[in-house]
Amino acid sequence: MADAGEEHGARHQGRQQEVRADVSVDVVPGPQSPRPGRLVDTFGRIATDLRVSLTDHCNLRCTYCMPAEGLPWLAKPQMLSDEELLRVLAVFVGLGVTQIRLTGGEPLLRPRLPELIAAITSLEPRPSIALTTNGLGLAAQATALAEAGLDRVNVSLDTPDRATFAALTRRDRWEDVVSGLAAADAAGLHPVKVNAVLMRGVNDHQGLDLLHWCLERGYQLRFIEQMPLDAQHSWAREQMVTAEEVRRGLSEQHTLTPVPGRGSAPAETYLVDGGPATVGIIASVTAPFCAACDRVRLTADGMVRNCLFARGEADLRGPMRDGASDADLIRLIRGEMWRKARGHGIGDPDFTQPTRPMSAIGG
Ligand code: SAM
Ligand code: SF4
């Protein structure tokens, strides 16, 4: 693996200056990052945002994510225990991670989630803690999660229509998501963000209705382009509803004004009719934000991934269970970051979808 990293670093050194200008950091290239304490890659990007998959299990079956029959889920012993997870999170925080986003699969299915969040808040320096959830069960848990220290929540809701929701997720649970959103709002998990994927012929005619539904309730809506990360490998570029289409659709009834200062945020944010309400559009495929990427990922079974689309990953679970020291874990994590590619390459002729689906990586 180290050889692959060295080769990758050498291969891209010549292009480093160009990307460095985008992210304004000062990094000396080499076979291993020379900077102690930061998660840097060969393009000078620094990872501060850790996405943690708490489980690959899920109680919905969104058609853009997994097949109707579900997937072969990880067994409990394959997943990091709470203790193992907290140890790894402490190592990441020591490496400069300042934001931890808990996701999955469905993270609310992880037992003792409030206790886990409370333990994360005691890491030094305390990272901000966000949750991406499908919202099922959020009505029951929102207050406990907020009291435990959860800072923010993103709830995935692709449609304001119950029947469309049932068709898209293969479960008739729209009302549970709606009450989960209301509970998050009441618990003070602001701003309450809604993530939506539009699918051609399914809900692509509902973008405006969904925006209005969210605006009425004070939720911040963000549309995300569908990515080739579904377990059944059915994504087709021609079928994808593009960010531009979404923008055009919303502009039929509203004036969208770009908000400057996007930084490393993936969403292009627009003021709706002059604001203060906003809507986000994430062009993950058609206008990737890889040059400003500040993310790193940890799967529920303890693999570090430097990108959603990474072809490789570094195992922390095995070494940890074999007695690895924190210094060993740091070496593994930094080595994996050093292998991070310049971009996801979805448009490249040799692009191949990663073996792990989104639900097993952590979206
Ligand atoms: N189950 C939780 C949820 O749905 O919010 C968390 C995990 S889910 C994988 C995280 C996010 O990824 C959701 O907002 C979901 O809509 C999005 N997602 C899943 N598959 C996707 C795909 N193929 N393309 C784009 N977004 C996707
Ligand atoms: Fe489950 Fe989230 Fe995938 Fe939907 S997008 S099937 S809720 S993991």
Side-chain angles (χ1 to χ4, degrees), residues 14 16 35 40 51 75 78 81 110 124 134 137 173 183 187 206 224 226 235 249 293-294 307-309 322 337:
Q16 183 145 3
R35 275 193 160 194
V40 69
R51 311 266 150 155
Q78 294 175 282
S81 65
R110 176 103 180 185
E124 282 289 338
N134 63 25
R173 304 288 301 272
Q206 295 175 340
I224 309 171
Q226 188 189 355
W235 180 88
C293 180
D294 61 359
C307 175
L308 272 175
F309 295 91
D322 289 341
M337 289 314 292

Side-chain angles (χ1 to χ4, degrees), residues 57-60 62 64-66 102-107 132-135 154-158 195-197 224-230 235 284 358-360 362-363:
H57 297 221
C58 194
N59 39 16
L60 292 183
C62 305
Y64 51 70
C65 186
M66 62 174 75
L102 305 172
T103 178
E106 177 41 49
T132 300
T133 171
N134 63 25
N154 285 38
V155 178
S156 303
L157 180 64
D158 304 312
N195 289 354
V197 176
I224 309 171
E225 278 179 347
Q226 188 189 355
M227 294 180 277
L229 285 168
D230 56 313
W235 180 88
S284 352
M358 178 79 124
S359 59

